[in-house]
Amino acid sequence: MFAGRDVRTDFPVLHQKVGAHPLVYLDNAATSHKPQVVIDAVSRFYERDNSNVHRGLHALSMRATDGYEAARARVARFINAASPAEIIFTRGTTESVNLVAQSWAAANLRRGDVILLTEMEHHSNMVPWQVAAERAGATLRYVPVVGDNAEHGLDLDALDRLLTPEVKLFAFTHISNTLGVITPAAELCRRARAVGAVTVVDAAQSIGHEPLDVQSLGCDFLAFSGHKMAGPTGIGVLYGRRALLDAMPPWQTGGGMISVVEFGSSRWKPSPERFEAGTPNVADAIGLHAAMDYLDGLGRPEISLHDHALAETAYAALAELPGIRLLGPAGRRAGLVSFALQDAHAHDVVTFADQDGVALRGGHHCNQPLMRKLGLPSSVRASFYVYNTPQEIDVLVRSLRRIIQFFRA
Ligand code: PMP
């Protein structure tokens, strides 16, 4: 994989012990680690180019502006957007969804309209729509999650009933952060378009793991975070189709987003500046640029194959453990596996695994309604990225066997 390259040497944080054990980091769905090239890109900006962007005419400000705008153009290429003007930098997925909810939805939703979501949405792609619906007098509908543990997926037959002309917006995840389900995003966008609904794709879990092309997906908006794709925290992206962005009001106002200000009123710049009031996160946009170069250097189809293979290996190995309930599909799944142990609470599992150097995540994973539907208070999640290995899955399984024995004794 990755043409024989030792990817682990690119990530300085991996080379440490937790207590007496080498770190086995399996919490990548929460946040991924950063390769040295990303850390260097951010440091270099502060060491050499640090300056504010856009209104400066001196050398450092011009270099900072060039770096920031080059990062925007790189994002456009990374997701095959038609133009850099369709790329808005935000703090992350959560802020990107809130931008659409507070701008597009506030301007376009009316009483009686419907927002369609799925039952597997992360709170970040659910709560902003609850608030937007309440403000507009709109209602929410959910595409159900159906099937038993081995076949969890979206009830696509229910879409015919749910996707009526009252639906003005359909927001759904590309990859479920708990179930590992990969949704048929292009088909969902096509079916939404057929009833005139605008689509919002939450790509938080897919952007760093799968090749992604917004034009072939056919989505109107797409949101993601830099920190889950080998990039820095505090930087993310909202992609929006130009025609929609041009018609949307700003959601935050202030410097940088205006064309003319009078004492009484102001006029706005076009996208993307209209949606980026105030000093942006220049350093981390530049770090994100380095992360995209890094991921493309490894090859995004190769990353996808690597992560899927680890998840399959982990799923099969974990299925052997006594008293385990695995969540999500047994077949095609993204690079993560969630499970619950009969005898141990998820938080205890994570705490015990940490004693073996294994970093997992336990809880509701910001999927409270889904967990309630599955009849579980919480689950444990192991999630994989480019630097994880099959040997680390062996360590995970050994650790879980120890935990099961402890709680059964
Ligand atoms: N959606 C999904 C599917 C996620 O997994 C996450 C992060 N756990 C988010 C949205 C929110 O991302 P962020 O916290 O970076 O805004």
Side-chain angles (χ1 to χ4, degrees), residues 29-30 91-95 122 124-125 173 175-177 202 204-205 225 227-228 365-366 381:
R91 279 193 303 123
T93 311
T94 304
E95 189 168 278
H122 187 280
S124 294
N125 198 28
T173 193
I175 288 180
S176 158
N177 60 303
D202 173 353
Q205 292 296 343
S225 308
H227 69 96
K228 294 185 200 274
H365 310 297
C366 295
R381 181 179 68 197

PDB file of all heavy atoms in Angstrom, residues 29-30 91-95 122 124-125 173 175-177 202 204-205 225 227-228 365-366 381, ligand 1:
ATOM      1  N   ALA A  29     -11.696   9.008  13.645  1.00  0.00           N
ATOM      2  CA  ALA A  29     -12.960   9.628  13.238  1.00  0.00           C
ATOM      3  C   ALA A  29     -13.213  10.884  14.072  1.00  0.00           C
ATOM      4  O   ALA A  29     -13.949  11.786  13.650  1.00  0.00           O
ATOM      5  CB  ALA A  29     -14.118   8.644  13.397  1.00  0.00           C
ATOM      6  N   ALA A  30     -12.611  10.951  15.266  1.00  0.00           N
ATOM      7  CA  ALA A  30     -12.739  12.164  16.082  1.00  0.00           C
ATOM      8  C   ALA A  30     -11.775  13.230  15.566  1.00  0.00           C
ATOM      9  O   ALA A  30     -12.165  14.369  15.315  1.00  0.00           O
ATOM     10  CB  ALA A  30     -12.471  11.852  17.551  1.00  0.00           C
ATOM     11  N   ARG A  91     -14.697  27.326  10.348  1.00  0.00           N
ATOM     12  CA  ARG A  91     -13.942  26.634  11.406  1.00  0.00           C
ATOM     13  C   ARG A  91     -14.015  25.121  11.249  1.00  0.00           C
ATOM     14  O   ARG A  91     -13.240  24.401  11.844  1.00  0.00           O
ATOM     15  CB  ARG A  91     -14.501  26.993  12.782  1.00  0.00           C
ATOM     16  CG  ARG A  91     -13.993  28.329  13.311  1.00  0.00           C
ATOM     17  CD  ARG A  91     -14.328  28.484  14.781  1.00  0.00           C
ATOM     18  NE  ARG A  91     -15.747  28.363  15.033  1.00  0.00           N
ATOM     19  CZ  ARG A  91     -16.293  27.476  15.862  1.00  0.00           C
ATOM     20  NH1 ARG A  91     -15.546  26.634  16.540  1.00  0.00           N
ATOM     21  NH2 ARG A  91     -17.606  27.431  16.025  1.00  0.00           N
ATOM     22  N   GLY A  92     -15.006  24.641  10.508  1.00  0.00           N
ATOM     23  CA  GLY A  92     -15.153  23.188  10.363  1.00  0.00           C
ATOM     24  C   GLY A  92     -16.556  22.838   9.905  1.00  0.00           C
ATOM     25  O   GLY A  92     -17.358  23.719   9.568  1.00  0.00           O
ATOM     26  N   THR A  93     -16.853  21.551   9.923  1.00  0.00           N
ATOM     27  CA  THR A  93     -18.149  21.064   9.452  1.00  0.00           C
ATOM     28  C   THR A  93     -19.304  21.751  10.183  1.00  0.00           C
ATOM     29  O   THR A  93     -20.283  22.188   9.566  1.00  0.00           O
ATOM     30  CB  THR A  93     -18.249  19.539   9.684  1.00  0.00           C
ATOM     31  OG1 THR A  93     -17.071  18.924   9.171  1.00  0.00           O
ATOM     32  CG2 THR A  93     -19.477  18.958   9.024  1.00  0.00           C
ATOM     33  N   THR A  94     -19.182  21.822  11.499  1.00  0.00           N
ATOM     34  CA  THR A  94     -20.268  22.395  12.306  1.00  0.00           C
ATOM     35  C   THR A  94     -20.572  23.824  11.864  1.00  0.00           C
ATOM     36  O   THR A  94     -21.735  24.198  11.660  1.00  0.00           O
ATOM     37  CB  THR A  94     -19.861  22.381  13.801  1.00  0.00           C
ATOM     38  OG1 THR A  94     -19.534  21.039  14.155  1.00  0.00           O
ATOM     39  CG2 THR A  94     -20.969  22.903  14.690  1.00  0.00           C
ATOM     40  N   GLU A  95     -19.514  24.616  11.705  1.00  0.00           N
ATOM     41  CA  GLU A  95     -19.743  26.008  11.303  1.00  0.00           C
ATOM     42  C   GLU A  95     -20.284  26.076   9.870  1.00  0.00           C
ATOM     43  O   GLU A  95     -21.125  26.922   9.564  1.00  0.00           O
ATOM     44  CB  GLU A  95     -18.457  26.825  11.427  1.00  0.00           C
ATOM     45  CG  GLU A  95     -18.714  28.312  11.238  1.00  0.00           C
ATOM     46  CD  GLU A  95     -17.528  29.164  11.640  1.00  0.00           C
ATOM     47  OE1 GLU A  95     -17.382  29.424  12.849  1.00  0.00           O
ATOM     48  OE2 GLU A  95     -16.749  29.558  10.763  1.00  0.00           O
ATOM     49  N   HIS A 122     -25.063  13.179  12.514  1.00  0.00           N
ATOM     50  CA  HIS A 122     -24.319  13.726  13.653  1.00  0.00           C
ATOM     51  C   HIS A 122     -25.105  14.944  14.172  1.00  0.00           C
ATOM     52  O   HIS A 122     -25.777  15.621  13.397  1.00  0.00           O
ATOM     53  CB  HIS A 122     -22.943  14.155  13.127  1.00  0.00           C
ATOM     54  CG  HIS A 122     -21.957  14.582  14.153  1.00  0.00           C
ATOM     55  ND1 HIS A 122     -21.970  15.841  14.709  1.00  0.00           N
ATOM     56  CD2 HIS A 122     -20.905  13.937  14.706  1.00  0.00           C
ATOM     57  CE1 HIS A 122     -20.959  15.938  15.561  1.00  0.00           C
ATOM     58  NE2 HIS A 122     -20.301  14.805  15.579  1.00  0.00           N
ATOM     59  N   SER A 124     -24.225  17.748  14.675  1.00  0.00           N
ATOM     60  CA  SER A 124     -23.855  18.959  13.917  1.00  0.00           C
ATOM     61  C   SER A 124     -24.678  19.135  12.650  1.00  0.00           C
ATOM     62  O   SER A 124     -24.752  20.227  12.113  1.00  0.00           O
ATOM     63  CB  SER A 124     -22.386  18.895  13.479  1.00  0.00           C
ATOM     64  OG  SER A 124     -21.563  18.926  14.583  1.00  0.00           O
ATOM     65  N   ASN A 125     -25.244  18.041  12.152  1.00  0.00           N
ATOM     66  CA  ASN A 125     -26.088  18.128  10.962  1.00  0.00           C
ATOM     67  C   ASN A 125     -27.540  17.817  11.317  1.00  0.00           C
ATOM     68  O   ASN A 125     -28.294  17.324  10.487  1.00  0.00           O
ATOM     69  CB  ASN A 125     -25.581  17.152   9.882  1.00  0.00           C
ATOM     70  CG  ASN A 125     -26.110  17.501   8.495  1.00  0.00           C
ATOM     71  OD1 ASN A 125     -26.398  18.664   8.196  1.00  0.00           O
ATOM     72  ND2 ASN A 125     -26.275  16.493   7.649  1.00  0.00           N
ATOM     73  N   THR A 173     -25.551  12.747   5.747  1.00  0.00           N
ATOM     74  CA  THR A 173     -24.129  12.460   5.864  1.00  0.00           C
ATOM     75  C   THR A 173     -23.665  11.561   4.723  1.00  0.00           C
ATOM     76  O   THR A 173     -24.438  10.730   4.231  1.00  0.00           O
ATOM     77  CB  THR A 173     -23.818  11.821   7.231  1.00  0.00           C
ATOM     78  OG1 THR A 173     -22.408  11.841   7.411  1.00  0.00           O
ATOM     79  CG2 THR A 173     -24.308  10.378   7.330  1.00  0.00           C
ATOM     80  N   ILE A 175     -20.847   9.649   5.153  1.00  0.00           N
ATOM     81  CA  ILE A 175     -20.443   8.457   5.911  1.00  0.00           C
ATOM     82  C   ILE A 175     -20.889   8.639   7.362  1.00  0.00           C
ATOM     83  O   ILE A 175     -20.594   9.675   7.968  1.00  0.00           O
ATOM     84  CB  ILE A 175     -18.913   8.242   5.840  1.00  0.00           C
ATOM     85  CG1 ILE A 175     -18.517   7.763   4.436  1.00  0.00           C
ATOM     86  CG2 ILE A 175     -18.441   7.248   6.894  1.00  0.00           C
ATOM     87  CD1 ILE A 175     -17.034   7.513   4.237  1.00  0.00           C
ATOM     88  N   SER A 176     -21.579   7.633   7.889  1.00  0.00           N
ATOM     89  CA  SER A 176     -22.025   7.712   9.284  1.00  0.00           C
ATOM     90  C   SER A 176     -20.841   7.515  10.223  1.00  0.00           C
ATOM     91  O   SER A 176     -20.110   6.521  10.102  1.00  0.00           O
ATOM     92  CB  SER A 176     -23.080   6.641   9.564  1.00  0.00           C
ATOM     93  OG  SER A 176     -23.132   6.380  10.955  1.00  0.00           O
ATOM     94  N   ASN A 177     -20.687   8.437  11.169  1.00  0.00           N
ATOM     95  CA  ASN A 177     -19.542   8.374  12.087  1.00  0.00           C
ATOM     96  C   ASN A 177     -19.710   7.285  13.134  1.00  0.00           C
ATOM     97  O   ASN A 177     -18.762   6.965  13.843  1.00  0.00           O
ATOM     98  CB  ASN A 177     -19.309   9.723  12.771  1.00  0.00           C
ATOM     99  CG  ASN A 177     -20.496  10.167  13.586  1.00  0.00           C
ATOM    100  OD1 ASN A 177     -21.606  10.296  13.065  1.00  0.00           O
ATOM    101  ND2 ASN A 177     -20.304  10.384  14.866  1.00  0.00           N
ATOM    102  N   ASP A 202     -22.884  16.240   4.436  1.00  0.00           N
ATOM    103  CA  ASP A 202     -21.904  16.284   5.519  1.00  0.00           C
ATOM    104  C   ASP A 202     -20.787  15.305   5.156  1.00  0.00           C
ATOM    105  O   ASP A 202     -20.954  14.088   5.251  1.00  0.00           O
ATOM    106  CB  ASP A 202     -22.601  15.894   6.828  1.00  0.00           C
ATOM    107  CG  ASP A 202     -21.620  15.750   7.986  1.00  0.00           C
ATOM    108  OD1 ASP A 202     -20.386  15.824   7.755  1.00  0.00           O
ATOM    109  OD2 ASP A 202     -22.086  15.564   9.129  1.00  0.00           O
ATOM    110  N   ALA A 204     -17.783  15.205   6.605  1.00  0.00           N
ATOM    111  CA  ALA A 204     -16.761  15.194   7.668  1.00  0.00           C
ATOM    112  C   ALA A 204     -15.991  13.876   7.699  1.00  0.00           C
ATOM    113  O   ALA A 204     -14.773  13.861   7.874  1.00  0.00           O
ATOM    114  CB  ALA A 204     -17.416  15.450   9.025  1.00  0.00           C
ATOM    115  N   GLN A 205     -16.714  12.755   7.522  1.00  0.00           N
ATOM    116  CA  GLN A 205     -16.051  11.442   7.641  1.00  0.00           C
ATOM    117  C   GLN A 205     -15.568  10.901   6.300  1.00  0.00           C
ATOM    118  O   GLN A 205     -14.918   9.859   6.264  1.00  0.00           O
ATOM    119  CB  GLN A 205     -17.008  10.426   8.296  1.00  0.00           C
ATOM    120  CG  GLN A 205     -17.318  10.722   9.758  1.00  0.00           C
ATOM    121  CD  GLN A 205     -16.088  10.638  10.655  1.00  0.00           C
ATOM    122  OE1 GLN A 205     -15.063  10.069  10.294  1.00  0.00           O
ATOM    123  NE2 GLN A 205     -16.186  11.233  11.837  1.00  0.00           N
ATOM    124  N   SER A 225     -14.284  19.248   7.627  1.00  0.00           N
ATOM    125  CA  SER A 225     -13.332  19.804   8.599  1.00  0.00           C
ATOM    126  C   SER A 225     -11.910  19.416   8.209  1.00  0.00           C
ATOM    127  O   SER A 225     -11.667  18.264   7.846  1.00  0.00           O
ATOM    128  CB  SER A 225     -13.593  19.225  10.001  1.00  0.00           C
ATOM    129  OG  SER A 225     -14.939  19.374  10.372  1.00  0.00           O
ATOM    130  N   HIS A 227      -9.393  19.034  10.278  1.00  0.00           N
ATOM    131  CA  HIS A 227      -8.670  18.221  11.276  1.00  0.00           C
ATOM    132  C   HIS A 227      -8.909  16.724  11.133  1.00  0.00           C
ATOM    133  O   HIS A 227      -8.185  15.931  11.728  1.00  0.00           O
ATOM    134  CB  HIS A 227      -9.026  18.685  12.697  1.00  0.00           C
ATOM    135  CG  HIS A 227     -10.431  18.382  13.111  1.00  0.00           C
ATOM    136  ND1 HIS A 227     -10.754  17.277  13.833  1.00  0.00           N
ATOM    137  CD2 HIS A 227     -11.600  19.041  12.904  1.00  0.00           C
ATOM    138  CE1 HIS A 227     -12.064  17.278  14.074  1.00  0.00           C
ATOM    139  NE2 HIS A 227     -12.599  18.335  13.506  1.00  0.00           N
ATOM    140  N   LYS A 228      -9.921  16.327  10.364  1.00  0.00           N
ATOM    141  CA  LYS A 228     -10.162  14.889  10.165  1.00  0.00           C
ATOM    142  C   LYS A 228      -9.470  14.375   8.905  1.00  0.00           C
ATOM    143  O   LYS A 228      -9.650  13.231   8.517  1.00  0.00           O
ATOM    144  CB  LYS A 228     -11.667  14.620  10.081  1.00  0.00           C
ATOM    145  CG  LYS A 228     -12.418  14.895  11.386  1.00  0.00           C
ATOM    146  CD  LYS A 228     -13.857  14.490  11.262  1.00  0.00           C
ATOM    147  CE  LYS A 228     -14.745  15.146  12.279  1.00  0.00           C
ATOM    148  NZ  LYS A 228     -14.794  14.435  13.554  1.00  0.00           N
ATOM    149  N   HIS A 365     -21.261   9.356  20.544  1.00  0.00           N
ATOM    150  CA  HIS A 365     -20.657   9.816  19.286  1.00  0.00           C
ATOM    151  C   HIS A 365     -21.475  10.919  18.610  1.00  0.00           C
ATOM    152  O   HIS A 365     -21.557  10.979  17.371  1.00  0.00           O
ATOM    153  CB  HIS A 365     -20.458   8.649  18.307  1.00  0.00           C
ATOM    154  CG  HIS A 365     -19.784   7.470  18.904  1.00  0.00           C
ATOM    155  ND1 HIS A 365     -18.500   7.523  19.394  1.00  0.00           N
ATOM    156  CD2 HIS A 365     -20.229   6.208  19.134  1.00  0.00           C
ATOM    157  CE1 HIS A 365     -18.179   6.337  19.894  1.00  0.00           C
ATOM    158  NE2 HIS A 365     -19.207   5.536  19.757  1.00  0.00           N
ATOM    159  N   CYS A 366     -22.109  11.788  19.403  1.00  0.00           N
ATOM    160  CA  CYS A 366     -22.961  12.849  18.843  1.00  0.00           C
ATOM    161  C   CYS A 366     -24.044  12.275  17.939  1.00  0.00           C
ATOM    162  O   CYS A 366     -24.371  12.837  16.889  1.00  0.00           O
ATOM    163  CB  CYS A 366     -22.129  13.895  18.099  1.00  0.00           C
ATOM    164  SG  CYS A 366     -21.032  14.817  19.161  1.00  0.00           S
ATOM    165  N   ARG A 381     -15.906   2.968  19.586  1.00  0.00           N
ATOM    166  CA  ARG A 381     -15.573   3.067  18.164  1.00  0.00           C
ATOM    167  C   ARG A 381     -14.059   2.991  17.974  1.00  0.00           C
ATOM    168  O   ARG A 381     -13.306   3.681  18.659  1.00  0.00           O
ATOM    169  CB  ARG A 381     -16.087   4.406  17.621  1.00  0.00           C
ATOM    170  CG  ARG A 381     -15.797   4.586  16.127  1.00  0.00           C
ATOM    171  CD  ARG A 381     -16.340   5.922  15.645  1.00  0.00           C
ATOM    172  NE  ARG A 381     -15.615   7.034  16.224  1.00  0.00           N
ATOM    173  CZ  ARG A 381     -16.043   8.289  16.258  1.00  0.00           C
ATOM    174  NH1 ARG A 381     -17.223   8.589  15.765  1.00  0.00           N
ATOM    175  NH2 ARG A 381     -15.306   9.244  16.796  1.00  0.00           N
TER     176      ARG A 381
HETATM  177  N1  PMP B   1     -20.432  15.329  11.033  1.00  0.00           N
HETATM  178  C1  PMP B   1     -19.853  14.142  11.243  1.00  0.00           C
HETATM  179  C2  PMP B   1     -20.360  12.935  10.503  1.00  0.00           C
HETATM  180  C3  PMP B   1     -18.796  14.037  12.149  1.00  0.00           C
HETATM  181  O1  PMP B   1     -18.250  12.846  12.379  1.00  0.00           O
HETATM  182  C4  PMP B   1     -18.344  15.203  12.820  1.00  0.00           C
HETATM  183  C5  PMP B   1     -17.191  15.137  13.804  1.00  0.00           C
HETATM  184  N2  PMP B   1     -17.287  14.128  14.751  1.00  0.00           N
HETATM  185  C6  PMP B   1     -18.972  16.421  12.541  1.00  0.00           C
HETATM  186  C7  PMP B   1     -20.001  16.442  11.641  1.00  0.00           C
HETATM  187  C8  PMP B   1     -18.553  17.681  13.215  1.00  0.00           C
HETATM  188  O2  PMP B   1     -17.272  18.052  12.825  1.00  0.00           O
HETATM  189  P1  PMP B   1     -16.521  19.264  13.562  1.00  0.00           P
HETATM  190  O3  PMP B   1     -16.594  18.972  15.030  1.00  0.00           O
HETATM  191  O4  PMP B   1     -15.125  19.204  13.029  1.00  0.00           O
HETATM  192  O5  PMP B   1     -17.231  20.517  13.195  1.00  0.00           O
END
